Amino acid sequence: MAVFNHISFDDHEQVVFCQDKESGLKAIIAIHNTNLGPAVGGCRMWNYASDDEAVTDVLRLSRGMTYKNALAGLTMGGGKSVIIADPKITDREALFRAFGRCIDTLGGKYYSAEDVGVTTADIMIAHEETPYMAGLEGKSGDPSPFTALGTFLGIKAAVKHQRGLDSLKGLKISVQGVGHVGYYLCRHLHAEGAELIVTDINQASLDKVATEFGATVVAPQEIYHQDVDVYAPCALGATINDTTIPLLKATIVAGCANNQLAEVRHGELLKEQNILYAPDYVINAGGIINVSFEKDYDEAASTAKVEQIYNTLLTIFEQSDAQNRTTGDVADEMARAIINAAK
């Protein structure tokens, strides 16, 4: 397994492989950059097909956190962790205690939090073994509603930039993935008057949004074909790729999933098809913004900072047009300038 020569290594400061035989823990912690402060980023638990797949995921997610935290104006570096396990397992205490002990060995260089497959209850278990956990119950708590709020506002910014509209009323929006964040996003979109088309691998989640928000349910592979205004990827990454781009009828891609582009060049392909792309690490920063207020938690102040995502994206869209560059290129350059200035 190549790490230093990995296509997504991108000068990571530290990559740690953790194993605890008693609990069965197999985890990878990636610390990308700490120029702005200790690395902060959630833990994803997923039944990866291979160790290589897990390494690729954690490296890409970690780099994304560095850029996300920088453009959100946070004094945090970027890192991420993954646990290689079935997220549906019910016996979790020993696993997350072991995970907490692994985090503790880094002495505060990296703070973890919840992400896909991990709950705030899991984080509280790990927190019993280490102080270096974030998104704690009784403090900032579940970041999902704030991630959804930022994504909703990001969709509004994209619609404003492309169509000059201040409302989403009557627009058709497809949402791929209606778990924690996707559900809250659908609630915002429904309240705004948008027409929803959704998909997920969890039938209970689909039934919930169909019942509460009148959403139309389609099969997972049918989500790309839908005649919609906005496609919102809110599941796992890499759904924007050579196969799916030719299928898209949406003129805006704006969702809360991480690493939506399978490769950087797919941003160019979207631009060539006049599809406006909201860079994922900008639009989905609401959760980590909320976590950043954990020490002296203030929900109103957190919400106000999440709302800044709207203007940040408008700036990126405007510069993209003016410079004839992809939105991803513009966002990356802005983030690197912030990171390098903090050296």
Side-chain angles (χ1 to χ4, degrees), residues 12 49 193 222:
H12 268 72
E222 293 300 313

Side-chain angles (χ1 to χ4, degrees), residues 2 9 28 46 81 116 120 124 130 144 154 162 168 172-173 206 250 264 273 313 323:
F9 183 69
I28 309 170
W46 196 253
S81 51
V116 175
T120 51
M124 295 305 292
T130 181
S144 300
Q162 188 183 76
L168 304 180
K172 294 182 179 180
I173 301 177
L206 289 172
V264 173
Q273 294 197 20
L313 281 169
Q323 299 169 14

Side-chain angles (χ1 to χ4, degrees), residues 248-269:
L248 294 177
K249 296 178 181 177
T251 59
I252 293 171
V253 173
C256 57
N258 287 309
N259 299 327
Q260 293 168 26
L261 305 180
E263 300 176 35
V264 173
R265 65 182 177 86
H266 292 118
E268 290 283 357
L269 292 179

